[in-house]
Amino acid sequence: AAWGCDDVRVDMECSSLDDLEAGRLPAFNPLRALTVRRLQHLVEVELKEALGLVPDTSGRLHIASHIADCGPCADGSRLRLTTKTDHHLYKNDKVTFSGLGAGFDDLEELVHTVVEVVAGDCFVVELASGPLSENGSVQGMAFSGMVHAEVNMYKTAPEVVIPSTIVEERLVCVSDESVLEMLKRGVGPIAGDLTLTGPLRLPDAKGFPRAVDAGLTIHGRVAPNGSVRRHYWSLGSDRSSMWQTSSKHGRVQLRPEEVLPGQSLGELEDKLWDLEPVRVGDILVLRRGVAYAELFDDGLADDFISHWWGEPTPDILSTLQRHDADMAAAATAARH
C-alpha cells in the first residue's frame, strides 16, 4: 500500500495505546526518503554482489545454488542437502529445484520449505509432495541439480542494510558464566531489546578485556556454522568496506575488530531476541547503527510505502515503478 505523506501521521512519542486511541498524536514527523533508483541499486547491485544472485529464465534476480549431495531424513518427507557453495538460505525460506533428473519431476513442480539450516552449505527442506516414493530413496537424483529461492526484505535487510549502516561493531567472547551474567544485567528490561544500558568491561574475541560502550545492541552469535551475513564475514578485517557510515553518522571506529583467522564464519541468527541461546564459549557481535536512508541526502518522502517483507523484492521495485513514486519512505530503509 502507498499513501501520500501529507496523509500519514507518524507517532514517535506516544507512551501508551490510550494516547493513540485518544488521538493525542504529535505533528507529522517527515520520514526519511530514498529514491526508487537508490532502492533499485540496493537490490540489483549490492544484494546481487553479497549473495551472488543470478537471473532466472524471466530475468528476475534470485538465489541459485548447485547441489553437491542430498539424502532423506526420517520418514522421507524431508531432504538434507549440501551445496557446493554458501546457499544463503534462512529457516522458512521457500525453495524450488531444477535439474534433479528423471523421476523427480514432481519435486521440481512444487515449492518446498526450509525447516532447518545446519551450516552455510547445508540445510533441510520439508517436501511439499510428502514422503518420497521407494521408502525415501534419492538414488538416481542428479547432483548437477540446483536449488532456487526468491530474495525478499527478510534477506535484504540482514545481508546488506545492516552491514551498510554500522557505526560501531564490537566482538565479545563469553569466556565464562560471569560474562554472561554481566550481559544479562547490562541490558534493559524491555523484551526483545538487548541494548546495553551502561558501559561494561567485556573480553574481546581473543579474551582480552576492554570497555564496551552503552548503546550497543547484542545482535547475534558468530560461528563457523552460521548462515547469516556469510559474505560480510568472509571479508575478514576488510568487512568495514561494507560500512557506508561516516563521522556525521556518529562513527568513530575505523576498522573492525579481529576475529579468529582461518575460519569461514557467519551469524547464527539475523537478530538475537534474548540471551537464552547464549552459552559459555560463544562469540557475540554487538552493533550500533543508523537507518539506511540516513546514509544519503535524498530528501523527504513524497510517498510512504507499506509492504510485506516476505514479498519478492523485484515485485516491490516493479510496484514502485508502476506507481511512479520518485521519493519513497520504505519501512526497511526508514528505521534502524
Side-chain angles (χ1 to χ4, degrees):
W3 298 272
C5 276
D6 288 342
D7 301 321
V8 179
R9 305 177 75 188
V10 179
D11 172 38
M12 307 293 284
E13 300 172 1
C14 284
S15 58
S16 69
L17 184 60
D18 291 339
D19 288 333
L20 293 173
E21 293 175 343
R24 292 190 291 269
L25 296 173
F28 171 67
N29 188 344
L31 289 174
R32 295 160 290 207
L34 285 180
T35 63
V36 174
R37 186 178 302 173
R38 189 85 68 184
L39 287 171
Q40 185 174 0
H41 184 274
L42 168 66
V43 175
E44 297 181 357
V45 176
E46 297 178 61
L47 188 63
K48 179 182 178 181
E49 179 181 351
L51 300 185
L53 302 181
V54 296
D56 62 14
T57 54
S58 65
R60 290 163 60 97
L61 290 175
H62 76 300
I63 294 170
S65 302
H66 289 276
I67 299 170
D69 196 4
C70 67
C73 300
D75 62 356
S77 63
R78 295 183 175 187
L79 278 182
R80 181 185 175 110
L81 298 104
T82 302
T83 52
K84 295 181 180 180
T85 57
D86 289 341
H87 51 66
H88 301 298
L89 298 174
Y90 296 175
K91 185 178 180 180
N92 297 321
D93 274 353
K94 303 299 182 182
V95 299
T96 57
F97 297 118
S98 67
L100 296 182
F104 296 97
D105 293 344
D106 57 335
L107 291 183
E108 296 186 10
E109 294 172 356
L110 299 172
V111 178
H112 313 279
T113 302
V114 176
V115 293
E116 181 184 358
V117 176
V118 181
D121 62 350
C122 184
F123 64 97
V124 177
V125 295
E126 181 85 39
L127 298 174
S129 55
L132 290 168
S133 58
E134 301 179 0
N135 297 320
S137 173
V138 291
Q139 292 181 358
M141 183 177 288
F143 291 146
S144 60
M146 300 189 72
V147 58
H148 308 267
E150 294 268 19
V151 289
N152 52 38
M153 288 301 179
Y154 286 116
K155 212 170 296 291
T156 304
E159 300 292 343
V160 176
V161 173
I162 293 298
S164 298
T165 56
I166 293 172
V167 169
E168 184 178 4
E169 179 183 270
R170 303 297 174 188
L171 299 174
V172 170
C173 176
V174 184
S175 53
D176 54 41
E177 288 289 347
S178 66
V179 174
L180 184 53
E181 288 303 313
M182 198 183 311
L183 289 168
K184 290 178 179 178
R185 294 194 302 268
V187 299
I190 301 175
D193 183 2
L194 298 182
T195 302
L196 299 183
T197 58
L200 296 174
R201 190 165 179 79
L202 298 166
D204 64 14
K206 297 180 180 180
F208 297 108
R210 50 64 167 108
V212 176
D213 293 335
L216 284 160
T217 298
I218 305 170
H219 210 186
R221 298 170 293 163
V222 183
N225 62 328
S227 64
V228 179
R229 286 183 276 275
R230 288 188 69 85
H231 169 73
Y232 173 72
W233 288 101
S234 74
L235 300 174
S237 60
D238 291 328
R239 63 188 188 275
S240 56
S241 62
M242 290 190 70
W243 303 0
Q244 297 185 44
T245 52
S246 66
S247 58
K248 73 176 183 179
H249 304 109
R251 178 175 164 186
V252 294
Q253 184 179 359
L254 181 62
R255 303 284 294 173
E257 295 187 342
E258 292 186 12
V259 292
L260 299 177
Q263 292 194 33
S264 177
L265 300 172
E267 290 172 52
L268 295 174
E269 47 270 311
D270 59 341
K271 184 184 186 303
L272 196 60
W273 292 96
D274 58 63
L275 295 176
E276 193 279 330
V278 179
R279 298 290 182 268
V280 171
D282 284 347
I283 301 294
L284 303 180
V285 56
L286 287 70
R287 295 188 175 105
R288 182 165 59 90
V290 297
Y292 188 75
E294 290 184 64
L295 301 177
F296 313 104
D297 296 317
D298 287 354
L300 301 180
D302 296 324
D303 298 274
F304 176 81
I305 309 301
S306 177
H307 61 93
W308 174 46
W309 277 37
E311 181 182 11
T313 308
D315 292 348
I316 296 175
L317 285 173
S318 63
T319 299
L320 291 173
Q321 290 161 345
R322 287 197 307 272
H323 180 65
D324 197 27
D326 181 37
M327 301 287 286
T332 312
R335 303 291 180 179
H336 58 80

